[in-house]
Amino acid sequence: MKIFLCECKKMMSFRIFWIIFVCLFAINGYVQIDRINDRYYTPESYRSFFSETKDMSLEEIQDYTNEMLERQNNGEYIEFPMMLVYDMSELSKECENYPEYLNSIKEQTSNMSAVSIWGDSDTFSYRNIQKTPSAYENLPAEPLPLAASFGLENTFTSPITDFMGIFLVFLAVCGIILKDREHGITFLLSSMPKGRSSLILSKLFAVSLFASFVAVMLFAENLVIGGALYGIGELQRPIQSVFGFYQCNLAVSVGEFLLLFFILKIASYLLFAMIFSLICTVSRNNLMIYGISGAVCTIAFLCYRLIPQNSVFQLFHDWNPIKFTQTAEILGTYQNVNLFGYPVSLKISMIIIIVITIVSVILCCGKSHMRKFGLQMHIGLLLPLKCSCRQSKNIRDANDALAG
């Protein structure tokens, strides 16, 4: 425990990390606020609409929006922007038709199974189609409530936040793993009774703590700003009522989805933290660390962006560290991975891969640290002998010169 606290204290004194963290935290907040310019209506009008319709049923909201659209067509003044009224009209219809959407999944499965292109029972497509209805069977076939949700959407969909988060995780790993090497005390620490396995485990634990801190702070900031601008509505309502999550197959509330989102977001950042830790442990110098880390992130990003989901290389797209950071996309959609012709849940496989990777990295870092300690001990024993031999040679040369 003392070693872990020492590593945390070391990280707290890492000024460069905290300066960059504050700067990126401020930039992330500015970007979230600036996103209001991407919409056709202001946050004030959005909040005002839901304040006006909070006691209305879906039918009453549709009548209310249809009336305003008709007034707009007649050239009359309406209280809200036309695009806002139109969007709310369409969303209220979707919420009301949600039971029909669930029933259509079963009908679509029957129709697609009858088509010859999907008819081969030994293919991934056929197995995936047959598996789809069971994924939605636990969802209640009831209309969804219409509530403010753009604040949640801003929280869940912010790619620049993940970019900043991964960079901060890399800085945290460098601050914890590389500081001892830069100060030249790695050999001294490794020679202590708890300077090997206990030391590397404490470092990995500290890395995990600060990676979790980064994930929570950045996305909590998104949630607070999104909630202040647009509101998040009631946390007890189904997640399917949130804009963009209509097709989610999880029978959870908005509050439960938020909890799952933060847990998996932390897990995805821990995955990057462990990968960077392994690279720092096995690399010989800082240049190799920066090069390998940059190459790993670049390759992962290219696989995620360039490989389509229907490709034979689909696994490199889905089982990908960058893909795993897209937590809202993974939780909010029903998606299976093609594993030798059999559909495997992306959600479940993601958790398994992250756990296996973290455990494997811990074991590899421990072995690598022990191996380096043995090499350093070997060098430490040879250096005095080498210096002694060199000193003796210098003495002999000096004596020969004097004798000549």
Side-chain angles (χ1 to χ4, degrees):
M1 188 64 180
K2 291 183 179 179
I3 303 176
F4 167 71
L5 294 177
C6 181
E7 295 298 332
C8 291
K9 184 178 179 180
K10 183 197 307 179
M11 190 62 200
M12 295 299 294
S13 63
F14 188 20
R15 295 182 180 179
I16 296 178
F17 172 82
W18 294 109
I19 292 173
I20 296 177
F21 174 80
V22 171
C23 293
L24 294 183
F25 191 80
I27 293 173
N28 183 63
Y30 172 78
V31 170
Q32 298 306 313
I33 296 174
D34 188 63
R35 292 177 69 182
I36 62 177
N37 298 320
D38 298 335
R39 302 193 186 277
Y40 293 103
Y41 33 86
T42 63
E44 292 77 12
S45 60
Y46 184 81
R47 295 197 307 269
S48 298
F49 178 87
F50 283 102
S51 177
E52 184 74 21
T53 60
K54 62 180 180 179
D55 296 325
M56 295 184 184
S57 64
L58 292 174
E59 292 80 4
E60 290 173 336
I61 292 176
Q62 291 178 31
D63 293 339
Y64 181 64
T65 54
N66 290 336
E67 179 186 352
M68 283 193 289
L69 289 174
E70 185 176 352
R71 287 167 52 192
Q72 174 72 25
N73 293 334
N74 294 333
E76 300 180 21
Y77 171 78
I78 59 176
E79 296 82 355
F80 304 104
M82 185 185 69
M83 288 301 301
L84 172 61
V85 176
Y86 177 79
D87 287 348
M88 295 304 109
S89 176
E90 294 299 313
L91 287 176
S92 64
K93 294 176 183 178
E94 284 189 359
C95 291
E96 187 177 22
N97 295 330
Y98 186 68
E100 286 76 9
Y101 167 74
L102 294 179
N103 292 330
S104 68
I105 294 177
K106 297 180 180 179
E107 296 177 0
Q108 187 177 9
T109 300
S110 301
N111 295 334
M112 294 181 70
S113 299
V115 179
S116 58
I117 192 175
W118 313 107
D120 190 354
S121 60
D122 292 332
T123 62
F124 165 77
S125 300
Y126 181 85
R127 295 189 182 106
N128 193 38
I129 292 170
Q130 297 300 316
K131 191 178 180 180
T132 301
S134 61
Y136 290 87
E137 63 183 6
N138 294 326
L139 298 177
E142 300 174 356
L144 301 171
L146 181 62
S149 60
F150 281 177
L152 293 169
E153 185 196 2
N154 276 19
T155 303
F156 297 143
T157 58
S158 181
I160 191 173
T161 304
D162 282 320
F163 174 79
M164 295 178 181
I166 293 172
F167 180 68
L168 288 171
V169 168
F170 177 73
L171 286 181
V173 171
C174 291
I176 294 173
I177 303 293
L178 299 183
K179 276 292 183 180
D180 297 341
R181 181 190 301 178
E182 292 175 355
H183 292 163
I185 60 175
T186 303
F187 173 71
L188 177 63
L189 293 175
S190 299
S191 63
M192 299 297 177
K194 295 184 178 180
R196 283 168 275 179
S197 59
S198 298
L199 178 62
I200 193 63
L201 288 176
S202 298
K203 287 181 178 291
L204 293 178
F205 191 21
V207 163
S208 302
L209 177 65
F210 280 94
S212 303
F213 168 79
V214 168
V216 171
M217 289 298 296
L218 289 179
F219 284 91
E221 180 187 28
N222 292 357
L223 180 62
V224 170
I225 293 176
L229 290 176
Y230 295 100
I232 59 176
E234 295 183 1
L235 297 180
Q236 294 78 18
R237 73 187 194 273
I239 185 60
Q240 289 77 14
S241 63
V242 175
F243 180 76
F245 293 86
Y246 194 73
Q247 299 179 350
C248 179
N249 67 309
L250 299 178
V252 297
S253 65
V254 171
E256 293 168 340
F257 188 90
L258 273 172
L259 180 61
L260 290 174
F261 173 82
F262 274 97
I263 291 175
L264 288 189
K265 184 64 70 174
I266 291 173
S268 66
Y269 277 35
L270 287 180
L271 177 63
F272 271 99
M274 292 299 108
I275 292 174
F276 292 145
S277 298
L278 179 61
I279 295 172
C280 290
T281 304
V282 301
S283 299
R284 297 181 179 179
N285 54 62
N286 291 357
L287 185 61
M288 287 182 62
I289 292 171
Y290 303 146
I292 296 174
S293 299
V296 168
C297 292
T298 302
I299 293 172
F301 177 77
L302 292 177
C303 289
Y304 174 70
R305 293 291 296 179
L306 300 180
I307 299 178
Q309 292 187 343
N310 57 354
S311 170
V312 293
F313 302 105
Q314 179 195 15
L315 288 179
F316 293 100
H317 172 90
D318 292 330
W319 289 351
N320 185 317
I322 299 296
K323 173 73 172 184
F324 291 163
T325 61
Q326 308 305 304
T327 310
E329 177 187 343
I330 294 174
L331 290 175
T333 57
Y334 173 69
Q335 184 178 351
N336 290 321
V337 178
N338 184 358
L339 185 63
F340 304 112
Y342 290 89
V344 177
S345 172
L346 178 59
K347 299 179 180 67
I348 297 175
S349 60
M350 168 190 174
I351 297 173
I352 294 174
I353 290 174
I354 290 178
V355 171
I356 292 176
T357 303
I358 291 176
V359 173
S360 301
V361 168
I362 292 175
L363 295 176
C364 291
C365 286
K367 291 182 179 180
S368 177
H369 191 71
M370 293 288 287
R371 192 181 304 114
K372 282 188 176 182
F373 171 74
L375 179 60
Q376 290 168 347
M377 285 292 293
H378 181 68
I379 295 174
L381 291 172
L382 290 179
L383 270 175
L385 180 61
K386 184 177 181 181
C387 293
S388 178
C389 294
R390 183 179 301 169
Q391 186 178 14
S392 300
K393 184 178 183 298
N394 292 337
I395 293 174
R396 288 196 303 271
D397 292 342
N399 290 332
D400 292 341
L402 290 173

